[in-house]
Every structure is written in C-alpha cells, then in structure tokens.
C-alpha cells in the first residue's frame, strides 16, 4: 500500500481556524507543527524514527567491536562496591599494586625455571581449590575418601596436566596436590613409617614402597586411615608437619573428634608455560612473555578439564556422601556466566509476558511489538548517554537489573500515551476525523503526564549517581539515562508508530476481535452519557471504578485511613528495631551453588586459627603511610577503564618509603635489619590480649624477625651478635644469623613463615640482588567482621591509637644513626579489608537517608508544579513517603539486612511509586468540580484503569526476577515487587481516602493565582463552554464550527456528575 501524503489542511476543517479557536496562534502553531509531519507522511516519519534507534544501535555495535573494553567493559566480578577515596581502601589497593609489582622474591636469588613461578604479572596466581562437604557430618570415611581420590585422579592424571602444573625449584615433577588423600614419601619419613603423623607429605594413603609410590599405586586402608586420624587428632596445630593436614580439614576435627565435616584440596599451576618442550616456539621464556597468550592457554585448559567435570559433579553424583564446591583461576567467572546465561531466560520471559500483556491491553500486535522493540532499543541508546555522563565503560551485574525495570516503566508510558490518544477522540468529536488534531492533543497532555513520572523516576535513579560507591553510582546514572531516553522516544518515536498503526492496521481485525473486547473492558476513559443505555456502553472496569469502588472509598474514607495509619504504626514500630545495616557482603549465588559451597565452608568450617569471618588486621611496612597510593588518572571503579582490575596501575601509583627500600653497599637495602627490633615490638604488642582491640588468642603471622633474634641469642648469649645484626652496619652479621635460622628451621619456615610476607624486586645495582620493597604482618581478631559499622569504626579508632602509641615508645623510637629512628624505616600502617567494609557500610546508610530525602523532595516539587495545588502535591508526596516507610520496614520481614541491593531499591521507591499517585492527583485536579466527592469520582474513573495497567506491567517485569538463581537479581526483583504492590495499595485506597476527607475544594491550595490571574483554572458552571462569538465569526459562515473549547490549564475531559445530570450522581450512604 502506498503511503498517502496529506495536504496542508486535511479533511475535517481548517486547522488554522481550529488553532485560532483553541488558543494563541503562536503557541498553537508551535505545538501542532511538531506533529504535522507525522500525519502528513506517516511512513517516512516512522522509518526515520526507527532509523534513529537503528543508527544508535549500529554505533553501539561498531564502537564495541572496534574499541572493545574501552567503550563497553562488561564485568561480573568487579562490582565497584567500594569507597575509592577511603583511607583503608587506598591502603588495600596499595598492597594489591605492591603484589603486582613485586614478583621477585627477595629471599630467593635462585634462577626461576620452567613453571616454577606461581603468578603472571597482569593475571595473578592460579590455584584451584576444591571443598568437600559431607552430607552425614563426616568426610573422613573410606567410601568418601575413595570418591575424592577418583575426582582428584581425573584432574591430576589428565594428559595435559603436566603442561600447566606448578613445579618446585630444581624439580621436574609437578608439585603434589594438597589433599587429605595423599601418600607419604618414605625417603622423607626417616625412622618413622607412613603410619606416623610425622610422615611427609601428610595424608591418609599408605605407601609401603621405600622408594615411594606413584599415584596409580595409591590404596586406601581403613585400619591405616584410623591410625593416622588418631595421630593427627592429638597433634598441636603449630606442630610440623601435622599443621599441613589440620589445614586441610575443618575446625571440628581434633582432640576427641576424628571426624571432619569438610575437607579441602588445592591444585597449583605455574608459569611460564611450555606446551611442548621439544618445540621452543610453543614455550614461553618468562612470566611476562606474552602473558595474555599464557592466560588464554591455561583458561582453556581449566574450561576443558575442570568446568566439564566440576560444574555438574553434584548433580551427576547424587548418591555421593558429600557435595563439592570449587573456585580458582577463571572457574568463578565461567560458573557465574553459566548461571547468568540461565537467568537470561527470565529476561526473555519478562519481555514475552509484558509483550502479551501490552498486546492484550492495546489489541494491536503491531503496537505491542513496536513498544517492546522501543524498550530494547533504549538500552543501547541509554548506554550512549550513560557513557557521555559517566565517562566510564563499566557495565556490571547491577546494570542488567535496569533492563527489567525499564520494561515496566516503558510499558507504563505506552499505556499513558494510548490512553490519552483514546481520550482525545472523546474530548472532541472533531478529533475522530482529524488525526493531526487528535495526535496534537495527545502529544500535549501525555507528554506532561509521562514527564511527571519520568522526572521523578529518573531523579530517583540519578540520586544513586551521587553515591560514593562507584558501582552503585554507575548503576544509578545508567538507569536514569535509560528513563530519559525512554521519555524522549515516547515523545518523538512512538507518535510515528501510532500514526502508522492508524493508517494501516487500525481497521484490521486482530485475533478474532480481541481488540474490541479489550477496549470494552479496559479502556481508560469514557464520555458523559445521559441515558442508562449509553451508560452500559462504558467499559466494565471504568464503570467499576466510577461506581462501586468510588462509593466504597467515599463511604469508608475515615475507616480506611485509620486502618492504614494504625497498620503503618504497628508495622514500622515492630520492624524498625530489627532493621540493621548489612554486616557482610551477601552471597551472590544460592547456597547450593558449588562456588557458594566453597565460600560458606571457608567462612564457617575452616576457622582454625580464625576463619574468614574474623576481622583481619595487617601491619604493612614499606609504603608512605600518609599517601601510599597516588590515585591520579585512575578509574574509580577499579577496572582500569576496561583493562581489568588485575592490570598494573589499576589502583594507582605507589608512593614508597625510601628508607625501607634504600639500597646499601652490597646492592640491597640493609636498613631493614636495623628496623627489626621495632618489627618484633609491634608483633609482641599486637598479640597481647586486649578487649578494646579484640586482640588476643591468635598468633600474628609474618613476625619472622623473632626467629632471627632467637637464633642470634642461641649463637651468642651475650647479645653482641644480635646487636651487630641490627646495628648501623648489619652486613655479614645479619646474613650469618639469617642463614643459620634457615638451616635450623628448614624449608617449611622459609616457605610458610617468610616468603608470603616479604616482597621485593630485582636490584638494578647488582644483578641477582634484591631490593626489599614492602612487607607485612597479619593477625586475626577475636571479633567477627559482622559486628556492624558502628562497632567497626570504634575498633578502627582503637587500632590507630594503639599503633600511634607503639611508634612513640620502646624500640620503635630508638635512633640507630643520627636522626634515623627504627620506626622511621618501617613507617607502618594498618590495612584491613574488614576496616574498609566497616567504612563502606557506614557510608551506605548515610547515602540512603540522603537519597530518600532528595527523591521525596523532588517528587513534592514536581507534584505541586504539575497538579497546580500545594495541598494535592503535599498529600501525594506524603503518600510516597509512607510507601517508603513501609518498604523500609519490609526489609527485616524478608530476613534481609540493609545492603547495597536494598539501598538501591529504597532510593528508587519514590520514583517507582510516584507514577500511580501522580496519575490520580493530576486527574483529581483536572476535574471541573468544586467538591471533593465528584473530583474523586472523576479521578478514579479517569485514572483507575491506567494505575492498575501500569502496575501489572511492572509486576510482570520484576516478577520474573523472583525466579532467578543469582541472589542479586532475586532480591532486587523482590524489592521492586513489594514496592509496586504497596504503591498500588496506597494509591488506590490511602490516597483517595485522604483526598475524599481533606482534599482541596474549589481553588483552595491552587498556587496559580499567586503567579497570574490568567492561570486561574476553569471549573464547571463558572465559564461558558464553547467558542466565543468573536471566535465563531472568525471561522466564517462556510466552515464548520470546531468543537467546544476546553480549558487549556487542565485536562479537558469531563467525567463524573455535571450540572443538571441527576442520573449521574453517586449517592453516598
């Protein structure tokens, strides 16, 4: 069908005369000229409107393909939930950057050979951890151990395992798997046999061959297992080598208990990789030799070997007496992405459900499809605006949630536009034949109605953009950008679709006439009719809101308000004391997910010497404590503008303490030995039991200088050797003590007590000599990291006071040389992940209060401005505030704490709930009646169905999130679902009851007359309806008179009782 071209004045009368009759020529011409082209060339305009979205989509694809992560950096692991400028976050990032830079171990100058290094400079270490959690409470049964051995054999015996496994220096064999299912090596046992707990390596597998047993020769013997368990259970945790076994079983094992609820094993992998020793081209020379290629190779191996076996292990082996959990390398990302892809089907389900709902309500497949395509396109268009406003390519898990939200919000705008389009036909009979006039009327009033909700909703989202948490701020800006783009699209794209639909699809029967059935049931508005016969032709739902529902509200307004107020008081008063801030980051995955099984096991089972829930305090040496890191030029999200958080410099540039790393005469920094008395003092003082600092009970790790002092005292009881080793010229004395200590303590001491806590780089002064750049000592506290932000901040204060006191006394204050104190060499600072979490949670609570206050204030201003009445706007804002209160009180009811997901949802509550209240408030003020009762009837009749329709679309979109596996999605969807339900209840019951009881009458509360008398609104009976005589003469005798003019200050639709229409009066009992 060819697209018709309408003349300047299409059939139905003179638009120039129509404009003259309806208002000022200048204002009218501006409004109608915007729409004129839509009606003249519907095909061209529709194609142009679609082209805009299409161009932006193509631009998105091109930029993403050409620029890559610099334009769009999708991340599922970096959430950006930190305070970028917080002191403790800066210290943590300084330590992280220090680990990346200091790959050379300063205590080992041996050459590193193939696969003996554990880290890649920009990728990090690859150690795969597997946790086995018993179903019956004991993992150490022969049957369970046999199944564990089968799984570990599958991995360790893989044909490519030797290409990637980590090797010890000077040894060509792979480093053994750390597991309870290990066999001792008789040559290392000495006089004992393998049944002794002192045998090495530790494990529960017997080996009778004095030369050692290959893995294929391992067997499990129940008698041998029980004998070994008996010895391990009686061993001390700090005993060697029993500690290795005790580290692999949970804290329930030991003493009188020879059972373990959980065990764990680890597989270590090293770099550089050599895929074929016979072909140098397939071998890498160093960890920095093409690191991304090495990463790709090992991650491919992980995906092939680990993921295929581990991802489905629990479901494939339901008869096992245990379940497994795992993590390491890229396994978390692979597992999370697989779960995310599974949840993606609910996104599709949400779109299909909303599509069917829109199709049912509009009776048009074309409009339904166009509406959903518009919502889909707004994601890409919105990302361009977000990229412009935020200036960062980050797109994380929180951003995906915005797609579900925009589906509900966008459909609500579609209904508002189409409702006004139908209302235009009833507002004036001429609109039925003048598409230009009808669309102009629709565009004028619907843009205001959609603008009210879009402004308040986008502002609520943008309030998140003020957050100090970068991930939360980026989500707010992204979601707000999508709302803005949706509004623009509804104003300029959707009118073209409506025009196109009117020309080509309006008169085509769809789905056996479902359109007519929908219109009869759910049309949002109706005309005034004076007979019972015409009354019956009103849509069913409109008649319900006009008669039964409005009568119920008017008859029981006081009772309804009392029920609501009493219920809110009880609900809030009961649950407010239970409302507590989130003490730890909630799990992102369900409890049954393998990754979450591992996380929970480390939190609650492997807590010997302090579990992961115990707050950890680190005393860090070597950095400038005032400004350890220069943040200039960094990405506050921590992902280095799409390059990844593991890349060098993602956190900033380190400011070192030059005294700690100062190079001495032998090409290495010899100031550190002089600082060791202060080091020892801090370790000893930190371990002293102190309830204020929650210290005592756990040993401080990384205090290896104490072993040096003990060795020196044993070598020279006079103390002269130690005094020389820590004096101004430590030189040979220090290395003499160091070498003797290493000989006496063995490799285990160097491997476990020293190397993990000291970091350095290779010296440029003399090849092979190291520079010690930084070190740290670490201790678990007796308190949990879940003590809450208030107690946590007090704990931070106590530790900082303690450190300041220690640095001003004892050995730390001693001068070694003129002007150089021992403490000046260390310049320690407190670094703790728990401390950073305490500060983050405290900031989150203050931001929530600030965001809610601003969102409600903006809603108040917008509602007062749009309704034109201070009382109506104030009561509407009060309704929104009470919805916020009720949603807030629902947090403990759902078993939640106030965390990131909850705070984001709460800040969005005003924007999501304002839609329904705003529609009713606007309709109340648009009614041309003095009294409250008839205004309320008009509001419910005109907007009741729109309110319900908008709520259903949002409920469908958010309801699909309830079925997701990822907890972030599920909790967020639950929060939105609760918000919409409360918003619909308050909007249809509480707000109408308030308006029926204390709503403004006449011109009470109207602020227009304070600005100008010309803005005074018309009410029924006060001004003659129709066109004035002067206007009628201007139309000419040969032109048909335009429809009677309605007031331009309020929506010109007359519903409810009118003068001399007694049959339409509602009797209030």
């Amino acid at each position: 069908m060819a697209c018709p071209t309408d003349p300047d004045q299409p059939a139905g009368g003179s638009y120039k005369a129509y404009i003259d009759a309806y208002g000022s020529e200048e204002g009218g011409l501006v409004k109608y000229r915007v729409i004129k082209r839509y009606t003249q060339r519907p095909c061209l305009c529709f194609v142009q409107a679609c082209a805009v979205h299409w161009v932006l989509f193509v631009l998105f694809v091109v930029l993403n393909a050409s620029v890559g992560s610099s334009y769009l950096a999708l991340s599922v692991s970096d959430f950006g939930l930190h305070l970028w400028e917080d002191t403790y976050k800066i210290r943590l990032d300084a330590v992280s950057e220090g680990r990346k830079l200091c790959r050379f171990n300063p205590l080992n100058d041996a050459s590193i050979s193939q696969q003996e290094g554990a880290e890649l400079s920009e990728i990090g270490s690859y150690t795969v951890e597997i946790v086995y959690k018993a179903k019956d409470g004991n993992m150490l049964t022969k049957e369970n151990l046999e199944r564990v051995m089968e799984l570990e054999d599958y991995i360790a015996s893989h044909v490519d395992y030797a290409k990637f496994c980590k090797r010890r220096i000077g040894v060509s064999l792979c480093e053994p798997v750390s597991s309870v299912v290990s066999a001792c090596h008789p040559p290392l046992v000495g006089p004992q046999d393998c049944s002794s707990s002192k045998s090495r390596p530790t494990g529960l597998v017997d080996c009778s061959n004095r030369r050692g047993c290959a893995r294929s020769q391992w067997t499990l013997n129940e008698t041998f297992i029980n004998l070994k368990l008996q010895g391990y259970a009686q061993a001390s945790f700090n005993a060697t080598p029993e500690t290795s076994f005790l580290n692999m079983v949970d804290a329930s094992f030991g003493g009188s208990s020879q059972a373990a609820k959980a065990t764990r094993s680890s597989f270590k992998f090293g770099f550089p990789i050599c895929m074929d020793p016979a072909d140098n081209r397939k071998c890498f020379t160093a960890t920095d030799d093409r690191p991304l290629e090495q990463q790709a190779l090992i991650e491919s191996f992980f995906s092939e070997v680990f993921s295929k076996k581990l991802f489905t292990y629990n479901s494939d082996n339901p008869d096992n007496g245990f379940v497994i959990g795992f993590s390491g390398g890229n396994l978390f990302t692979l597992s999370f992405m697989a779960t995310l892809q599974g949840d993606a089907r609910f996104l599709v389900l949400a779109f299909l459900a909303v599509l069917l709902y829109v199709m049912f309500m509009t009776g048009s497949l074309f409009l339904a499809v166009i509406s959903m395509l518009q919502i889909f396109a707004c994601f890409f268009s919105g990302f361009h605006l977000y990229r412009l406003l935020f200036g960062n390519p980050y797109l994380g898990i929180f951003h995906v949630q915005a797609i579900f939200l925009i589906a509900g919000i966008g459909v609500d705008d579609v209904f508002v536009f189409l409702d006004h389009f139908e209302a235009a036909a009833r507002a004036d009979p001429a609109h039925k034949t003048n598409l230009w006039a009808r669309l102009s009327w629709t565009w004028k009033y619907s843009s205001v109605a959609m603008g009210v909700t879009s402004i308040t909703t986008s502002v609520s989202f943008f309030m998140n953009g003020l957050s100090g948490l970068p991930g939360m701020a980026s989500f707010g800006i992204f979601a707000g950008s999508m709302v803005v783009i949706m509004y623009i699209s509804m104003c300029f794209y959707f009118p073209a679709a409506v025009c196109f639909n009117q020309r080509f699809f309006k008169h085509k029967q769809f789905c056996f006439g479902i359109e007519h059935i929908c219109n009869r049931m759910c049309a949002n508005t109706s005309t005034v009719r004076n007979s019972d016969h015409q009354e019956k032709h009103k849509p069913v739902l409109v008649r319900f809101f006009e008669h039964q529902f409005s009568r119920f509200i008017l008859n029981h307004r006081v009772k309804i308000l009392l029920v609501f107020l009493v219920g809110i008081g009880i609900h809030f008063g009961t649950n407010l004391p239970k409302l507590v801030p989130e003490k730890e980051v909630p799990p992102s995955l369900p409890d049954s997910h393998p990754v979450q099984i591992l996380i929970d096991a480390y939190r609650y089972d492997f807590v010997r010497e302090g579990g992961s829930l115990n707050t950890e305090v680190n005393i860090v040496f070597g950095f400038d404590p005032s400004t350890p890191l220069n943040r200039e030029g960094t990405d506050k999200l921590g992902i280095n503008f799409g390059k990844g958080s593991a890349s060098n410099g993602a956190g900033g540039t380190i400011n070192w303490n030059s005294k700690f790393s100062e190079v001495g005469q032998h090409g290495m920094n010899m100031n550190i030995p002089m600082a060791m008395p202060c080091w020892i003092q801090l370790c000893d003082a930190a371990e002293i039991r102190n309830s204020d600092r929650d210290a005592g009970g756990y040993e401080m790790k990384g205090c290896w200088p104490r072993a040096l002092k003990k060795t020196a005292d044993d070598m020279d009881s006079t103390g002269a050797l130690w005094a020389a080793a820590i004096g101004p010229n430590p030189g040979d004395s220090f290395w003499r003590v160091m070498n003797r200590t290493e000989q006496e303590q063995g490799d285990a001491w160097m491997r476990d007590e020293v190397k993990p806590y000291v970091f350095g780089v290779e010296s440029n002064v003399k090849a092979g000599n190291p520079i010690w750049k930084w070190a740290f000592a670490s201790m678990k506290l007796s308190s949990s990291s879940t003590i809450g932000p208030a107690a946590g901040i007090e704990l931070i204060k106590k530790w900082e006071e303690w450190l300041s006191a220690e640095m001003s006394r004892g050995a730390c204050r001693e001068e070694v040389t003129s002007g150089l104190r021992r403490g000046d060499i260390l310049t320690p600072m407190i670094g703790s992940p728990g401390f950073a979490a305490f500060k983050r949670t405290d900031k989150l609570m203050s931001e929530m209060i600030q965001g809610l206050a601003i969102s409600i204030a903006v809603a108040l201003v917008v509602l007062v401005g749009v309704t034109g009445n201070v009382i109506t706007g104030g009561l509407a804002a009060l309704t929104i505030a009470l919805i916020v209160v009720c949603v807030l009180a629902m947090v403990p009811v759902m078993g939640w704490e106030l965390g990131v997901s909850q705070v984001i949802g709460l800040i969005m509550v005003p924007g999501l709930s304002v839609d329904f209240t705003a529609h009713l408030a606007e309709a109340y003020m648009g009614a041309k009646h003095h009294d409250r009762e008839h205004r309320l009837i008009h509001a419910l009749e005109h907007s009741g169905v729109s309110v319900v329709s908008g709520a259903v679309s949002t409920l469908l979109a958010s309801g699909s999130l309830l079925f997701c596996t990822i907890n972030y999605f599920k909790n967020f969807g639950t929060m939105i679902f609760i918000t919409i339900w409360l918003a619909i209840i308050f909007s249809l019951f509480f707000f109408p009851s308030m308006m029926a009881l204390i709503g403004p009458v006449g011109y009470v509360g109207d602020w227009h007359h304070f600005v100008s008398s010309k803005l005074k609104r018309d009410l029924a009976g006060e001004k003659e309806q129709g066109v004035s005589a002067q206007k009628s003469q201007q139309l000419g005798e040969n032109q048909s008179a335009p429809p009677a003019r309605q007031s331009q200050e309020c929506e010109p639709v007359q519903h409810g009782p009118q003068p001399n229409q007694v049959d339409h009066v509602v009797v209030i009992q």
Side-chain angles (χ1 to χ4, degrees):
M1 178 185 295
C3 291
T5 300
D6 291 351
D8 290 339
Q9 296 182 358
S14 168
Y15 284 114
K16 180 64 170 59
Y18 183 84
I19 293 168
D20 291 340
Y22 270 66
S24 64
E25 179 176 346
E26 182 179 356
L29 288 173
V30 170
K31 289 183 176 69
Y32 293 110
R33 280 176 177 169
V34 173
I35 300 299
K36 180 179 180 181
R37 187 169 180 83
Y38 288 94
T39 58
Q40 287 183 328
R41 298 182 179 274
C43 289
L44 179 62
C45 289
F46 179 67
V47 171
Q48 289 175 340
C50 291
V52 173
H53 278 305
W54 176 250
V55 168
L56 291 174
F57 172 74
V58 172
L59 179 64
F60 176 87
V61 174
V62 171
L63 289 174
N64 192 36
S66 59
V67 183
S69 60
S70 297
Y71 189 76
L72 170 63
L74 181 62
S75 174
V76 297
S77 57
D78 296 307
F79 297 153
L81 301 179
H82 51 243
L83 297 174
W84 191 241
E85 299 299 332
D86 175 63
T87 299
Y88 294 96
K89 172 60 179 173
I90 291 175
R91 292 176 181 178
L92 288 177
D93 286 349
V95 169
S96 177
E97 291 299 318
R99 289 182 183 274
K100 299 173 192 175
L101 292 174
C102 301
R103 300 180 301 278
F104 184 84
N105 193 311
L107 297 172
N108 176 25
D109 58 358
S111 59
I112 304 297
S113 61
Q114 167 63 25
Q115 292 175 213
E116 293 170 355
E119 296 184 359
L120 285 174
S121 59
E122 296 189 1
I123 299 172
S125 62
Y126 278 80
T127 299
V128 174
E129 300 277 349
I130 301 179
V131 164
Y132 309 92
K133 189 71 178 287
K135 296 178 181 178
D136 61 355
N138 185 17
M139 267 301 303
L140 302 178
T141 64
K142 181 184 177 184
E143 182 181 0
N144 285 342
L145 294 175
E146 286 176 343
R147 293 295 184 91
V148 170
M149 189 162 66
E150 288 176 7
L151 176 59
E152 294 179 356
D153 284 345
Y154 168 81
I155 298 172
S157 302
H158 192 276
V159 63
D160 290 330
Y161 182 79
K163 298 177 181 178
F164 302 97
C165 67
K166 182 182 177 183
R167 308 176 193 275
R168 289 182 179 176
I169 295 175
V171 180
S172 60
L173 298 177
C174 294
E175 190 169 297
V177 178
S178 298
S179 171
V180 296
V181 185
S182 295
C184 76
H185 190 56
L188 299 176
V189 172
Q192 301 90 3
D193 60 18
C194 284
S195 63
S196 170
S197 63
K198 293 293 184 180
S199 62
R200 302 177 186 224
T202 58
L204 301 176
V205 180
D206 190 12
C207 178
S208 57
N209 188 341
R210 296 303 299 173
R211 294 185 178 182
C213 300
R215 190 176 185 94
S216 59
Q217 298 174 315
W218 289 4
T219 59
L220 286 167
N221 180 282
E222 193 161 0
T223 302
F224 180 83
I225 292 172
N226 292 334
L227 188 62
K228 290 294 290 277
L229 291 177
Q230 191 175 22
Y232 288 135
Q234 301 303 319
S236 169
F237 179 75
N238 294 319
T240 304
E242 291 91 334
T243 299
S244 298
F245 181 87
L246 296 177
N247 273 324
M248 292 184 289
V249 294
D250 73 293
S252 65
F253 179 87
S256 60
S257 174
Q258 296 180 25
K261 298 177 182 177
T263 65
R264 58 183 171 183
S265 60
S266 62
F267 299 79
K268 296 181 180 179
F269 299 87
F271 306 93
I273 295 171
C274 187
M275 299 301 294
D276 185 359
D279 188 351
N280 291 333
R281 293 174 299 178
K282 295 182 179 181
C283 293
F284 299 87
T285 59
T287 57
D288 288 334
D289 179 15
R290 296 163 287 168
L292 295 180
E293 291 186 31
Q294 295 192 64
Q295 180 187 24
L297 286 171
I298 196 167
E299 291 188 352
S300 175
F301 171 73
F302 277 23
S303 177
E304 177 69 23
V305 178
F306 285 97
S307 63
K308 287 185 177 180
K309 186 71 173 181
L310 299 182
F311 285 7
T312 61
Y313 184 83
N314 291 334
S315 58
D316 292 342
N317 299 274
D319 296 331
N320 274 4
F322 59 90
V323 293
I324 70 164
F326 59 84
S327 187
N330 63 329
L331 290 181
F332 172 79
T333 302
L334 290 173
S335 176
F336 194 89
M337 289 302 297
T339 306
L340 187 62
Q341 290 173 4
D343 283 350
R345 66 182 185 271
F346 295 109
L347 174 61
V348 177
L349 177 64
F351 268 79
L352 288 176
V354 175
L355 172 66
L356 293 175
Y357 179 69
V358 174
M359 187 170 64
F360 174 79
M361 295 297 292
T362 62
S364 171
L365 177 62
F366 174 77
L367 289 180
V369 171
I370 288 299
S371 300
M372 300 313 296
L373 288 177
Q374 174 184 233
I375 293 169
F376 181 74
C378 282
F379 174 84
F380 303 101
S381 304
F383 182 82
H384 291 301
L385 180 59
Y386 157 77
R387 190 72 175 77
L388 179 66
L389 295 176
F390 193 63
N392 198 289
Y394 174 70
L395 196 70
I397 186 172
F398 290 122
H399 299 70
V400 180
Q401 298 172 152
I403 303 175
F404 294 88
L405 284 175
I406 205 65
I409 295 171
V411 169
D412 182 58
D413 286 345
V414 168
F415 286 145
V416 169
F417 189 94
L418 294 178
D419 287 343
H420 280 81
F421 188 72
E422 293 300 321
R426 296 181 172 90
D428 194 313
H431 289 164
K432 294 182 178 179
T433 56
N434 276 333
L435 182 58
W436 186 9
R438 182 178 180 180
L439 200 63
S440 298
W441 190 97
T442 302
W443 191 74
K444 175 181 179 181
Y445 291 106
S446 65
S447 62
V448 174
M450 293 185 297
V452 174
T453 58
S454 296
I455 290 174
T456 51
T457 304
S458 60
V459 167
S460 295
F461 282 124
F462 283 133
M463 285 304 99
N464 286 295
L466 301 176
S467 173
L469 304 177
M472 188 171 167
S474 65
F475 165 77
I477 296 175
F478 177 69
S481 299
M482 290 184 67
V483 174
V484 172
I485 293 296
M486 176 59 68
Y487 176 70
I488 296 173
S489 181
M490 284 301 305
C491 288
F492 297 100
Y493 166 77
F494 200 67
V498 172
C499 279
F500 194 84
N501 181 69
Q502 287 294 113
R503 287 297 175 93
F504 302 109
F505 301 108
K506 178 63 177 175
H507 302 293
K508 297 186 184 317
Q509 191 178 52
F510 172 66
C511 285
F512 307 102
I514 190 175
E515 176 183 10
H516 303 292
I517 299 174
C518 296
N519 289 337
R520 293 286 304 127
M521 291 180 59
C522 305
N524 151 275
T525 186
S526 61
T527 57
V528 177
R529 298 174 176 85
N530 296 322
S531 67
D532 292 337
H533 175 73
Q534 290 178 322
E535 180 72 17
K536 291 179 182 179
H537 285 279
K538 287 185 178 181
V540 174
L541 293 181
V542 171
R543 282 190 280 128
F544 168 75
F545 277 105
E546 182 182 5
H547 296 291
Q548 289 87 354
F549 191 78
S550 60
R551 185 182 296 114
F552 171 78
I553 296 294
L554 293 171
N555 288 340
H556 304 285
R557 64 190 90 174
V558 177
K559 297 176 184 177
I560 293 173
L561 288 176
L562 287 175
V563 169
F564 268 86
L565 294 176
V566 172
I568 292 171
I570 296 174
H571 177 53
F572 191 70
T574 303
N575 295 301
L576 182 61
K578 304 176 185 177
L579 194 65
V580 293
E582 188 176 77
K583 300 181 181 68
E584 59 178 324
V585 178
S588 59
L589 298 167
D591 294 340
S592 59
H593 194 281
V595 173
Q596 194 59 43
I597 291 175
L598 178 136
I599 294 172
D600 289 342
Y602 275 96
R603 282 183 174 181
Y604 306 113
D605 297 320
F606 296 99
V607 294
R608 209 185 304 269
E609 291 295 296
S612 61
L613 286 180
N614 290 69
T615 303
E616 181 181 286
V617 170
N618 300 321
I619 304 176
V620 185
F621 316 117
F623 297 89
D624 180 353
S626 59
T627 55
L629 206 62
N630 181 5
R631 292 289 201 191
E632 184 178 354
T634 59
D635 171 17
K636 61 184 178 181
L637 281 159
I639 63 169
N640 201 14
F641 303 103
K643 297 178 182 178
S645 57
S647 57
N648 289 335
T653 304
I654 297 176
N655 294 322
W656 298 108
N657 171 21
S658 60
K659 295 183 179 64
F660 189 89
S661 57
E662 185 174 325
V663 179
Q665 59 180 348
H666 297 293
M668 59 182 63
N669 46 335
M670 294 308 295
N671 283 345
I672 294 177
M674 295 188 288
M676 286 187 177
C678 179
W679 195 326
I680 295 172
Q681 174 187 319
L682 292 175
C683 288
D684 292 342
E687 290 177 345
I688 297 174
R689 291 186 179 274
N690 184 287
S691 58
D692 289 339
R693 293 184 288 109
D694 293 339
Y698 296 119
E699 178 187 3
M700 176 159 272
K701 306 293 186 180
C703 296
W704 53 272
R706 288 191 290 205
L708 298 184
K709 185 178 185 305
K710 183 179 181 302
T711 300
D713 291 343
D714 292 340
M715 295 172 67
D716 182 2
S717 59
T718 65
L721 179 59
W722 179 244
I726 62 172
N729 298 298
D732 295 337
S733 298
F734 171 76
W735 287 114
R736 179 184 169 192
V737 174
M738 187 73 189
N739 293 333
R740 174 66 69 87
T741 305
E742 187 173 356
Q743 290 175 5
E744 293 180 352
Q745 297 291 336
D747 293 339
W749 175 77
M750 181 64 69
R751 183 182 66 248
D752 301 331
E753 301 295 330
V754 181
K755 290 182 179 179
Y757 303 96
V758 182
F759 299 85
V761 295
E762 214 171 341
S763 172
N764 294 324
V765 178
K766 186 177 181 181
N769 290 330
I771 297 177
W772 298 15
K773 299 297 291 186
W774 68 281
F776 76 101
S778 177
M779 184 178 74
K780 293 283 188 179
L781 302 185
S782 57
S783 63
S784 169
S785 57
T786 63
I787 58 177
I793 290 175
E794 184 64 24
L795 183 63
I796 293 173
K797 180 181 176 183
K798 294 298 181 182
W799 270 98
E800 292 292 352
E801 291 175 352
W802 168 85
L803 181 61
S804 178
E806 289 298 323
M807 293 302 294
S808 61
R809 72 171 190 89
C812 293
R813 188 167 178 154
E814 291 179 1
E815 286 192 2
V816 189
T817 59
S818 178
L820 179 63
R821 298 187 300 179
R822 298 187 191 275
D824 294 337
I825 300 172
L826 294 181
T827 57
M829 64 182 184
I830 300 293
S832 170
F835 288 3
F838 294 145
K839 300 289 287 292
R840 181 194 65 210
T841 305
D842 183 64
K843 179 70 172 178
L844 194 64
M845 296 303 101
S846 62
E847 287 183 352
M848 181 193 70
I849 296 172
Q850 173 187 336
L852 287 175
I854 295 176
S855 296
I856 294 174
V858 169
L860 173 63
V861 171
V862 172
L863 288 168
V864 169
V866 172
T867 61
N869 193 284
V870 177
I871 297 175
T872 302
L875 293 177
L878 174 63
T879 302
I880 295 168
L882 291 178
I883 295 173
V884 172
V885 168
C886 288
V887 175
L888 185 64
M890 284 297 296
V891 171
V893 173
M894 298 302 298
W896 298 332
E897 296 174 336
L898 275 176
V900 175
S901 295
Q902 288 73 33
V903 169
I904 290 177
L906 284 167
I907 294 178
M908 293 188 305
V909 168
L912 293 173
S913 58
V914 73
D915 294 21
F916 315 125
T917 306
H919 290 324
L920 289 170
E922 185 186 13
Y924 181 92
M925 295 309 301
K928 298 191 174 184
H929 304 284
H930 284 280
D931 59 293
R932 300 186 183 101
E933 288 77 9
H934 289 111
R935 283 185 169 186
L936 179 64
I937 294 171
H938 170 82
L940 290 172
E941 177 197 5
H942 176 69
S943 297
V945 177
S946 292
V947 168
V948 174
S949 299
V952 170
S953 62
T954 309
L955 288 173
L956 286 173
S958 62
S960 61
L961 289 171
L962 303 180
F963 303 98
C964 289
T965 303
I966 298 176
N967 288 332
Y968 287 121
F969 292 160
K970 186 181 297 183
N971 293 344
F972 187 77
T974 303
M975 177 68 74
I976 302 304
F977 200 80
I978 291 172
T979 298
I980 299 302
W981 266 115
L982 289 173
I984 197 70
I985 292 172
F986 271 83
S987 298
L988 290 180
F989 291 93
F990 180 78
F991 180 70
S993 298
M994 271 204 311
M995 299 304 291
L997 189 66
I998 58 174
V1001 295
Y1003 296 108
V1004 175
D1006 196 316
W1007 55 263
H1008 290 86
H1009 66 276
F1010 291 108
V1011 179
S1012 173
S1013 59
K1014 295 181 180 180
L1015 296 176
K1016 184 177 179 182
R1017 297 181 177 232
D1018 296 337
L1019 297 178
E1022 291 198 354
K1023 189 172 184 180
E1024 181 183 359
Q1025 301 297 313
V1027 184
S1028 64
Q1030 181 180 2
K1031 294 286 184 181
S1032 298
Q1033 292 177 1
Q1034 292 176 358
L1035 295 177
E1037 295 181 358
N1038 297 328
Q1039 292 182 357
S1040 59
R1045 180 192 175 194
Q1046 305 287 351
S1047 170
Q1048 294 212 21
E1049 288 76 22
C1050 58
E1051 186 169 320
V1053 185
Q1054 296 188 28
H1055 307 291
Q1058 300 293 328
N1060 303 321
Q1061 292 179 346
V1062 296
D1063 62 310
H1064 205 74
V1065 174
V1066 175
V1067 179
I1068 304 172
Q1069 297 178 352

